[in-house]
């Protein structure tokens, strides 16, 4: 099932995202410079400014490529300039530009005229350029970015922040032309629960769904216009219904919101198992001619809480989830849309239902992927251990909460709005105001606020992990509860409730969940054990779901090392704990059986062998001889788990092949095997596209694996690797590639698909070589 999703996801996203025929990618041919020397700012905004010495870049773009471990992230002022032409006459068209993400404070000039200042690097903003551009002539847009610490946007200063806030125009920019009568932009109109298109679901059940569609139309002409708004609903490109609205008069330079009610019989409901998506096409006509059209992806679902329990479409649910930071190594936040999709796929394939977007809004591309894959999200504003009692800061946070909802309100995947400053003590009236904003901006149907303090929000999150702040131990919270972070801090901190203060420092590190792949098999198994124990603990509480900290290893900014509690590393290579989570999904028509041997099976491997599987029974063979057959463990109070791991106690190590077979109702349904690695023989190169087609300006990992003659990974081989590339691609690594647990990872940028690509690798000793060729057209 997941393979099928992988093949179709890009088509789903491209066909279902909010898109207009007048929306053009504006990412190419920007000029860029970091303000590391004095610039003539007075002339910089003008068309005739000489930017020939500036670097030419294509977005998404980061202000500086960083090392793998980022201790001194670049902060400062940077500038972007782009010359462009508009074919349409601004007297007859409206010209807009939309920035999806500009870190952190942006100022914009068009043809030398100051247009806008925007605070916050994680949410989009829109500019109406109509009065500033000239048709058929060269125009220039200039953007100044400041990603230094801000007392207005927060979070706390970068030198003590536990993640990085990378600079640049790191998401898409769009040039948008609209007719004088058009659908408005929610972020431009600044209206509570208004602007653009907003779809609510007042009633949802298996027999009927009611849709309330609000469409705001603007008339920028000098005359009264007779306008109609029509809605057409499609499912899998087949028309479900069409609603033709009545004509109305719209006066000059005015807006009107049209509310239309649709009823869908026997709707295909959206949930994590069946992410059914409809396409709503909204058409605005003037005198019978279509003047604007917008396509919006929607998923029909019903979310409600009954006491502490969560129900989705009438079914009680426990949601298994994780947290994600959006960074990539070297390029920071400047991910391609395809890279965002690959992350979402990896999370879904790990067996998760929900992802907490920590601790800021993630990209529209990632949200689209979650819609298509059936991943619920906890959508969050920026915040981390920082509150300032000033009007500037408070109003910025209030505005951010509104903008988040206005951007994401039509996404099927949103479960909760985390309008909370993570791990920050906030005044109660501040929390209540943020929670009230959720109700104001999403006034019809289910909308729930969430935060880490137990007053002021609909759903309570804890700030630290299990065994510390479960609300069962508190007197003042009896409502819905989500374990927002667990499995890391309580195994790491000296004061986190597991008696770490009695351990020496090295033992504490070895028994924590912060385990790099390079630390070896035993410590990766320790992380997986911690995950199992912690998840089991969550299942004994009133929580309706949880979020493991964290999905991917990430940079901590102030710290000398990467944070290694991810169940996949920063290069998105899975650890053993990944497969533990994968095994917790029940086998069904939509979920595959899985078996994974958590061992490298060499002479240093533990003889207490773990096999992760969601099967009823597992048989283990060594060199085709049956070692034993097991039902799941019942140790360490694991009875709350859906599928505890299988444990096989081997008496001694014998070189050869381990094979695990999974059985359901006596029938073998899946197997896994691992071979003892022999001497390193060559390099095998795998492009980690994860069945998401490569695209221009894509970034993708190439895994360069040290393997023996049989193709088995040699985990203990460490050596520098030299890489050479052919085609319109480039290496983004800023440091020498070195194998890490047998794998060196190159981050490759695909500049275009014009040429086929070739990747060649050779070890420093020149004893190991490998190559990969990929046709792109």
């Amino acid at each position: 099932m997941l393979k099928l999703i992988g093949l179709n996801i890009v088509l789903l996203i491209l066909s279902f995202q909010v898109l207009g025929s007048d929306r053009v990618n504006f990412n190419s041919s920007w000029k860029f410079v970091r303000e590391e020397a004095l610039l003539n700012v007075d002339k910089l905004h003008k068309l005739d400014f000489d930017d020939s010495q500036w670097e030419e870049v294509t977005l998404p773009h980061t202000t500086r490529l960083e090392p793998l471990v980022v201790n001194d992230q670049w902060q400062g002022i940077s500038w972007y300039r782009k010359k462009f032409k508009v074919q349409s006459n601004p007297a007859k068209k409206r010209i807009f530009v939309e920035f999806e993400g500009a870190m952190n404070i942006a100022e914009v000039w068009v043809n030398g005229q100051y247009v806008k200042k925007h605070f916050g690097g994680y949410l989009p903003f829109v500019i109406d350029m109509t009065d500033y551009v000239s048709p058929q002539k060269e125009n220039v847009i200039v953007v100044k970015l400041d990603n230094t610490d801000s007392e207005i946007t927060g979070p706390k200063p970068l030198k003590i922040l536990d993640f990085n806030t990378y600079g640049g125009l790191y998401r898409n920019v769009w040039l948008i032309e609209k007719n004088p009568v058009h659908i408005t932009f929610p972020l431009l109109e600044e209206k509570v629960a208004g602007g653009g298109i907003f779809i609510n679901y007042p009633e949802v059940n298996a027999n009927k769904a009611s849709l309330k569609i609000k469409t705001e139309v603007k008339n920028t002409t000098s005359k009264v216009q007779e306008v109609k708004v029509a809605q057409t609903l499609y499912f899998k490109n087949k028309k479900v219904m069409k609603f033709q609205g009545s004509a109305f008069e719209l006066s000059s330079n005015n807006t009107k919101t049209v509310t239309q009610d649709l009823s869908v019989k026997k709707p295909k409901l959206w949930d994590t198992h069946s992410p059914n998506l409809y396409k709503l096409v909204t058409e605005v006509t003037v005198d019978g001619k279509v003047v604007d059209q917008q396509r919006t992806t929607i998923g029909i679902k019903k979310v409600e809480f009954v006491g502490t329990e969560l129900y989705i479409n009438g079914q009680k649910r426990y949601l298994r989830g994780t947290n994600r930071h959006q960074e990539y190594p070297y390029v920071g936040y400047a991910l391609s849309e395809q890279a965002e999709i690959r992350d979402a796929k990896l999370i879904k394939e790990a067996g998760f239902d929900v992802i907490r977007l920590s601790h800021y809004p993630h990209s529209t591309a990632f949200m689209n992927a979650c819609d298509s894959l059936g991943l619920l999200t906890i959508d969050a504003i920026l915040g981390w251990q920082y509150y300032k009692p000033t009007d500037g800061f408070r109003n910025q946070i209030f505005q951010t909460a509104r903008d988040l909802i206005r951007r994401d309100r039509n996404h099927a995947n949103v479960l909760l709005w985390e309008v909370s400053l993570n791990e920050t003590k906030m005044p109660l009236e501040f929390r209540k105001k943020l929670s009230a904003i959720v109700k104001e901006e999403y006034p019809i149907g289910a909308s729930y606020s969430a935060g880490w303090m137990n007053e002021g929000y609909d759903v309570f999150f804890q700030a630290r992990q299990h065994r510390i702040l479960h609300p069962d131990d508190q007197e003042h919270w009896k409502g819905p509860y989500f374990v927002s972070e667990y499995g890391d801090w309580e195994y790491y901190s000296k004061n986190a409730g597991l008696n770490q203060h009695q351990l020496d420092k090295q033992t504490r590190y070895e028994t924590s969940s912060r385990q790099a792949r390079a630390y070896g098999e035993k410590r990766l198994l320790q992380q997986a054990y911690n995950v199992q124990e912690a998840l089991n603990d969550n299942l004994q509480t009133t929580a309706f779901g949880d979020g493991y900290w964290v999905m991917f290893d990430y940079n901590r900014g102030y710290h000398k090392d990467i944070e290694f509690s991810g169940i996949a590393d920063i290069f998105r290579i899975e650890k053993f704990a990944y497969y533990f989570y994968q095994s917790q999904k029940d086998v069904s028509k939509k979920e595959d059986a899985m078996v994974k041997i958590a061992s490298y099976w060499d002479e240093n491997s533990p003889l207490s062998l773990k096999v992760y599987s969601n099967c009823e029974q597992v048989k283990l063979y060594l060199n085709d001889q049956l070692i034993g057959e097991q039902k799941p463990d019942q140790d360490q109070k694991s009875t709350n788990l859906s599928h505890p791991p299988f444990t096989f106690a081997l008496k001694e190590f014998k070189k050869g092949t381990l094979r695990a077979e999974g059985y359901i109702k006596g029938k073998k349904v899946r197997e896994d095997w691992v071979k003892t690695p022999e001497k390193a023989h060559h390099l095998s190169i795998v492009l980690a596209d994860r069945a998401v087609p490569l695209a221009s300006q894509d970034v993708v990992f190439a895994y360069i694996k040290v393997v023996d003659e049989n193709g088995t990974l040699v985990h203990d081989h460490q050596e520098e690797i030299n890489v050479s590339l052919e085609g319109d691609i480039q290496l983004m690594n800023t440091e020498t590639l070195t194998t890490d647990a047998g794998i060196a990872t190159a981050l490759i940028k695909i500049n275009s698909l014009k040429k086929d690509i070739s990747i060649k690798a050779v070890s420093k000793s020149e004893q190991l070589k490998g190559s990969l060729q990929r046709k792109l057209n």
Side-chain angles (χ1 to χ4, degrees), residues 141-161:
I141 183 169
V142 177
V143 182
K144 176 187 177 183
L145 295 184
D146 180 354
N147 76 325
T148 57
D149 300 333
S150 170
E151 293 186 347
I152 293 177
T153 67
K156 68 181 185 181
L158 186 65
K159 288 185 178 180
I160 55 173
L161 189 65

Side-chain angles (χ1 to χ4, degrees), residues 711-725:
T712 301
L713 184 65
V714 183
H715 294 83
D716 60 358
H717 189 98
Q718 187 169 3
E719 189 174 1
E720 290 184 6
I721 303 293
N722 296 314
V723 173
S724 59
L725 307 175

Side-chain angles (χ1 to χ4, degrees), residues 26 93 113 192 232 302 307 342 367 391 512 532 537 573-574 682 736:
F26 206 51
K93 289 276 191 178
Q113 299 183 69
V192 174
T232 308
K302 181 180 181 180
R342 293 180 192 115
M367 300 297 285
D391 289 342
S512 80
Q532 176 184 344
D537 184 75
I573 301 173
E574 301 90 336
H682 64 278
T736 302

